[in-house]
Amino acid sequence: MTPYFQQTFQRGFGTWPLRGVKLAQAMEAAIEVGYRAFDTAQGYGNEADTGAILAASGVRRSELCITTKVKPDNFGADRFIASVEQSLKNLRIDQVDVLMLHWPPAGGDVVPSLKLLSQAHRQGLARYVGVSNYTIAMMQQAVAVVEAPITANQVEFHPLLDQSKLMVGAAALGIPLASFCSVARGEVFKYPLFAQIGADYGKSAAQVALRWILQNGVSLNTMSTNPANIAANFDIMDFSLSSVELARIEALTATGLRLIGKAQVSNAPDWD
């Protein structure tokens, strides 16, 4: 069973764009309420801070699921493995739980970086491997190139974006999806439906949106610096949305709100 399938790790704490004291305060609050999955990346510039905070937390290494991601600048054969080794030093660990490729490379040829990801796994630098921001065609290539199972494709996933095509393609390949921008950077709060549904369960609009993601079989990454919101984002396992409620929320995916595209990241692919 890979980390993303374990109930404790279905709710991960994302660390971007936090650093220093703000990151420490947020992660300490997250650890206190029960988070044990933490997501960072070379490109976030906070691996060393994340490693120091986790090392000082007193939480046993075996209880943690630590994910980091290799940035495209390090996809060259002369840089990839060295960058992963540096990430491990920064994180103060011998092996990362999940090592991902953060974005497809410029030009879109994913095969060379996938081969290097596979090499990092063979060398024992990563327990599991994954990808991020991959299309269906790219996931197909990942399955063909990487010997180890692809434990997740981390993508923008929230109730205001239709990712049904990607979900079907991922399911056919046996690749779970993991979310980022899980509440669409607050945009879901503009839609009364979430609060209306939440009122019946004693839950917030955010908790309803997150629960919808989980019930779609997608693991969560959420980030907040507010201790109350950090706790609320974790407290979503004691209720379930009905099929009618799921469908009402599903209708909002037609909004088509994509927050991260080529305007924000030049390496972004042509999405499915």
Side-chain angles (χ1 to χ4, degrees):
M1 180 180 287
T2 62
Y4 282 100
F5 286 121
Q6 295 182 30
Q7 181 169 313
T8 307
F9 300 146
Q10 286 179 329
R11 297 156 291 168
F13 189 82
T15 61
W16 186 85
L18 305 178
R19 298 184 186 185
V21 173
K22 284 188 176 180
L23 177 63
Q25 291 173 340
M27 284 185 59
E28 287 163 5
I31 290 167
E32 185 174 351
V33 300
Y35 279 97
R36 293 296 181 267
F38 292 89
D39 180 273
T40 183
Q42 294 175 352
Y44 296 174
N46 64 11
E47 285 180 325
D49 287 345
T50 299
I53 295 160
L54 292 176
S57 70
V59 178
R60 288 180 297 181
R61 175 69 184 92
S62 60
E63 296 178 15
L64 294 169
C65 177
I66 302 171
T67 296
T68 196
K69 300 179 280 293
V70 181
K71 60 183 179 181
D73 288 353
N74 289 326
F75 282 0
D78 58 334
R79 303 179 68 171
F80 192 98
I81 297 299
S83 80
V84 176
E85 291 172 340
Q86 184 60 53
S87 290
L88 297 183
K89 290 178 183 177
N90 291 341
L91 290 164
R92 305 189 186 193
I93 55 179
D94 297 324
Q95 181 186 60
V96 70
D97 294 293
V98 184
L99 181 68
M100 291 183 169
L101 302 176
H102 202 162
W103 284 92
D109 182 5
V110 297
V111 172
S113 53
L114 285 168
K115 288 181 177 179
L116 290 165
L117 180 69
S118 193
Q119 180 183 340
H121 181 260
R122 287 196 305 271
Q123 291 182 207
L125 302 179
R127 187 178 179 198
Y128 299 102
V129 293
V131 294
S132 187
N133 301 297
Y134 264 37
T135 64
I136 295 171
M138 290 172 178
M139 287 191 289
Q140 290 170 338
Q141 289 178 296
V143 170
V145 171
V146 181
E147 297 98 334
I150 304 298
T151 199
N153 180 14
Q154 189 182 112
V155 297
E156 180 177 343
F157 196 101
H158 52 73
L160 305 181
L161 176 64
D162 184 358
Q163 290 283 40
S164 57
K165 185 175 181 180
L166 188 70
M167 289 179 68
V168 170
L173 293 165
I175 299 177
L177 296 182
S179 74
F180 66 80
C181 292
S182 305
V183 293
R185 295 183 176 171
E187 290 296 309
V188 296
F189 305 134
K190 296 179 180 179
Y191 296 80
L193 176 62
F194 298 98
Q196 291 167 2
I197 292 174
D200 292 334
Y201 297 98
K203 296 293 183 179
S204 69
Q207 288 172 310
V208 170
L210 296 177
R211 184 68 204 180
W212 177 85
I213 294 173
L214 271 190
Q215 286 186 231
N216 271 280
V218 177
S219 57
L220 294 165
N221 280 292
T222 57
M223 189 286 293
S224 176
T225 57
N226 182 315
N229 290 343
I230 291 170
N233 290 344
F234 194 74
D235 184 24
I236 57 171
M237 303 302 281
D238 59 351
F239 76 110
S240 292
L241 300 172
S242 71
S243 58
V244 173
E245 290 164 339
L246 290 170
R248 292 177 68 195
I249 296 172
E250 181 76 23
L252 292 177
T253 64
T255 304
L257 176 66
R258 186 177 288 280
L259 297 166
I260 309 297
K262 290 185 184 294
Q264 294 75 31
V265 179
S266 61
N267 286 23
D270 294 323
W271 305 106
D272 293 303

